[in-house]
Amino acid sequence: MKIIIAGAGEVGFHLAKLLSYESQDITLIDSKKESLAYADNHLDIRVLKGDATSIAVLNDAQVKDSDLVIAVTSSETTNLTLCMLAKQLGCKRTIARISNTEFIKNKELLRFSDLGIDELISPEALAATEIQMLLNKSAFNDTYEFEDGELIMVGVSLLKSAPFVGKMVKEAAKIFPELHFMPIALQRTGTQYTVIPRGDTVFKEGDQVYFITVKEGVDELYKLTGKTKTEIKNVMILGGSKVGYKTARDLCANKFNVKLIEKNKEKAFDLADELPNALVINGDGRNVELLDEESLESMDAFIAVTGNSETNIMSCLVAKSKYIKKTIALVENMDYFQLSHSIGIDTLINKKLLAANNIFRHIRKGEVVALMRLNNLNAEILEFIVKKNSKVTGATIRELDFPKAATIGGVVRDGKGHIALGGFKIQEGDRVVVCCLPSEISKIERMFL
């Protein structure tokens, strides 16, 4: 695909890097020479200095022949304007990064598609949604919902007490006669290798395992993984950033008791006005005495979303030392993901990764309606809609020539999630969730074309 990315900031560079690894034809546009220099020296892409809303610059980028324009500059107005211009100039599809989530809520009413904007994304809103899902599934360190929770992906680090540690996948499946979950990926502790589990794969202590389950299977997974289901009610948020504000607002709307700590006095007063149901505290969250004064030990969850990754990590470690059940840190450095479980933080989230997941489904072939890249794992989870003429249509799963480095985790049919075993026959209109390693993505895509 020919893809134009406007904005060489964190999200734009991260997308350009991921897409260049897949040999996509990428042009990266930015008005700042220094922002482009690093990308030009480290990535196999074309860089273009200039105003992304300039018609001359867009023509230089060959926008009329492009398959996708992704506008992820720091200016919401620039992103919206660029997408409208690109569509008029012949681009097939456009995606705009925004900060005003009202646009997303009223997307159909405002008819952005008529203006030439096919998709809107807000990394901050995606992060806030991710945090809320993690609190709702508090014992797990990663989670994602397909089709409003009909299929749920959860990630968990296996404790020694987990009943199936030391057992093969097929042995673990016999613990429950009615199978409501499916392991789709795992990473051995201390390694960087991602494994797609087969029947003879043995679960080991410390494995980071990802499961697909249906709603009734979540409680089974609590039992099987040795985790305790705990209710999260009292939440402390460090940082009044956009993510912090959106998280606090959403949690208050869902009847959580929220304390938000913001260092900037003026910003703290503004947040107090905008969040009447939250207790906003003006203070430095790095101050352990302040955290103690604000009853950190009585919190069920601690969420650090300041603009500094190191501050977020260190404050979460302080919270863990107070035996807080759930800690979540927002980080920008992708390398930190490898450290999260070893240093004791429950979950790290990254806006770049969340935005990339949301955008990547527009790049994959076949009708992909959801996609996510697993934190620190070299695997993708894709949700395909099965077409009438797809190779998988009408075949049972065991009849498919499915690569060993891929697995079907589940199927949503007529609005209901199913854990699909070998005898399950795939039909037109099914939504199939597949986990696969990068080496097999093109083969999987062809099966669902």
Side-chain angles (χ1 to χ4, degrees):
M1 290 178 72
K2 181 170 177 54
I3 301 169
I4 297 172
I5 300 173
E10 292 173 344
V11 175
F13 177 80
H14 183 64
L15 277 169
K17 181 173 72 171
L18 293 177
L19 293 168
S20 68
Y21 290 163
E22 300 195 357
S23 302
Q24 306 283 3
D25 182 0
I26 308 298
T27 300
L28 181 63
I29 303 174
D30 200 282
S31 58
K32 297 177 182 176
K33 186 177 181 180
E34 58 271 22
S35 297
L36 294 172
Y38 188 83
D40 192 24
N41 291 330
H42 291 80
L43 303 178
D44 184 19
I45 63 173
R46 181 191 178 202
V47 299
L48 196 58
K49 181 181 177 297
D51 181 356
T53 59
S54 161
I55 294 174
V57 169
L58 288 174
N59 284 333
D60 191 5
Q62 301 175 342
V63 68
K64 64 180 173 58
D65 300 320
S66 64
D67 298 294
L68 179 65
V69 164
I70 305 170
V72 287
T73 74
S74 57
S75 167
E76 181 176 80
T77 305
T78 297
N79 295 338
L80 294 172
T81 304
L82 167 59
C83 287
M84 288 188 275
L85 289 172
K87 206 57 176 287
Q88 291 293 319
L89 293 170
C91 174
K92 294 184 179 68
R93 193 163 183 82
T94 62
I95 300 173
R97 173 187 179 173
I98 59 165
S99 55
N100 186 350
T101 52
E102 285 185 331
F103 289 158
I104 295 176
K105 291 177 182 175
N106 297 286
K107 187 167 68 171
E108 301 304 322
L109 177 66
L110 297 173
R111 297 168 67 178
F112 279 99
S113 58
D114 291 352
L115 300 174
I117 305 164
D118 296 306
E119 192 74 25
L120 299 169
I121 64 160
S122 166
E124 294 79 17
L126 291 169
T129 301
E130 177 84 356
I131 289 168
Q132 183 150 343
M133 285 197 294
L134 287 164
L135 294 183
N136 291 336
K137 309 279 187 306
S138 60
F140 304 118
N141 55 38
D142 205 348
T143 184
Y144 187 86
E145 293 186 354
F146 297 90
E147 304 306 313
D148 297 322
E150 286 301 320
L151 286 177
I152 304 165
M153 186 220 72
V154 295
V156 63
S157 182
L158 294 185
L159 300 174
K160 188 176 182 180
S161 58
F164 57 67
V165 165
K167 293 182 172 63
M168 292 187 289
V169 170
K170 57 188 177 185
E171 292 173 330
K174 294 177 182 177
I175 295 176
F176 283 91
E178 290 293 327
L179 192 66
H180 291 133
F181 61 90
M182 175 78 74
I184 56 169
L186 67 82
Q187 185 180 61
R188 299 288 185 207
T189 182
T191 75
Q192 297 299 308
Y193 298 107
T194 302
V195 177
I196 302 298
R198 317 309 300 181
D200 57 356
T201 302
V202 177
F203 292 109
K204 296 182 180 179
E205 179 188 354
D207 282 351
Q208 173 67 18
V209 187
Y210 290 84
F211 295 92
I212 291 286
T213 183
V214 291
K215 290 176 180 177
E216 56 267 34
V218 173
D219 287 339
E220 293 177 3
L221 279 173
Y222 277 117
K223 297 173 188 174
L224 277 174
T225 55
K227 298 289 183 178
T228 304
K229 185 176 182 180
T230 54
E231 184 183 8
I232 301 291
K233 199 65 185 172
N234 301 311
V235 179
M236 183 176 284
I237 300 173
L238 177 62
S241 60
K242 289 179 181 177
V243 176
Y245 165 72
K246 288 179 171 63
T247 300
R249 182 195 61 191
D250 294 348
L251 292 178
C252 286
N254 285 288
K255 309 301 181 187
F256 286 81
N257 300 320
V258 177
K259 283 186 180 181
L260 190 152
I261 301 175
E262 169 53 43
K263 187 178 179 181
N264 183 285
K265 187 174 182 179
E266 185 178 343
K267 193 173 188 179
F269 276 101
D270 289 341
L271 287 166
D273 290 336
E274 295 174 31
L275 298 167
N277 295 320
L279 175 60
V280 180
I281 299 149
N282 175 222
D284 189 342
R286 295 172 297 181
N287 186 331
V288 177
E289 288 184 5
L290 173 68
L291 295 178
D292 286 339
E293 286 173 13
E294 296 303 330
S295 304
L296 173 61
E297 72 282 352
S298 68
M299 295 293 123
D300 300 313
F302 183 87
I303 302 165
V305 287
T306 73
N308 186 290
S309 299
E310 290 76 17
T311 296
N312 295 339
I313 289 172
M314 292 307 296
S315 57
C316 278
L317 291 176
V318 171
K320 265 300 177 187
S321 73
K322 305 291 184 181
Y323 304 104
I324 304 301
K325 300 170 191 171
K326 186 76 173 178
T327 54
I328 301 172
L330 178 71
V331 298
E332 295 305 322
N333 191 331
M334 300 292 288
D335 295 333
Y336 287 150
F337 276 104
Q338 299 175 13
L339 304 173
S340 62
H341 305 307
S342 61
I343 62 179
I345 297 173
D346 294 314
T347 306
L348 299 182
I349 59 173
N350 180 281
K351 291 187 293 183
K352 294 179 289 187
L353 190 64
L354 293 170
N357 286 342
N358 200 276
I359 290 169
F360 254 71
R361 63 191 174 93
H362 300 284
I363 295 157
R364 294 284 171 239
K365 297 171 184 174
E367 194 164 349
V368 179
V369 291
L371 179 148
M372 73 169 300
R373 288 182 165 225
L374 298 173
N375 291 347
N376 199 32
L377 264 73
N378 189 29
E380 286 188 15
I381 301 178
L382 305 99
E383 181 186 2
F384 291 96
I385 295 180
V386 178
K387 299 177 181 178
K388 184 177 181 179
N389 297 320
S390 298
K391 291 182 180 178
V392 299
T393 307
T396 61
I397 290 175
R398 67 167 60 97
E399 291 171 343
L400 298 174
D401 182 22
F402 226 65
K404 286 195 172 182
T407 186
I408 292 178
V411 176
V412 177
R413 176 177 295 168
D414 299 328
K416 182 169 176 55
H418 304 270
I419 299 302
L421 302 180
F424 191 95
K425 181 178 282 190
I426 297 174
Q427 299 177 2
E428 179 187 356
D430 284 351
R431 292 171 178 254
V432 180
V433 175
V434 177
C435 181
C436 63
L437 302 185
S439 59
E440 302 297 344
I441 285 174
S442 58
K443 183 173 183 179
I444 296 299
E445 287 174 337
R446 288 194 295 272
M447 296 179 78
F448 287 90
L449 281 175

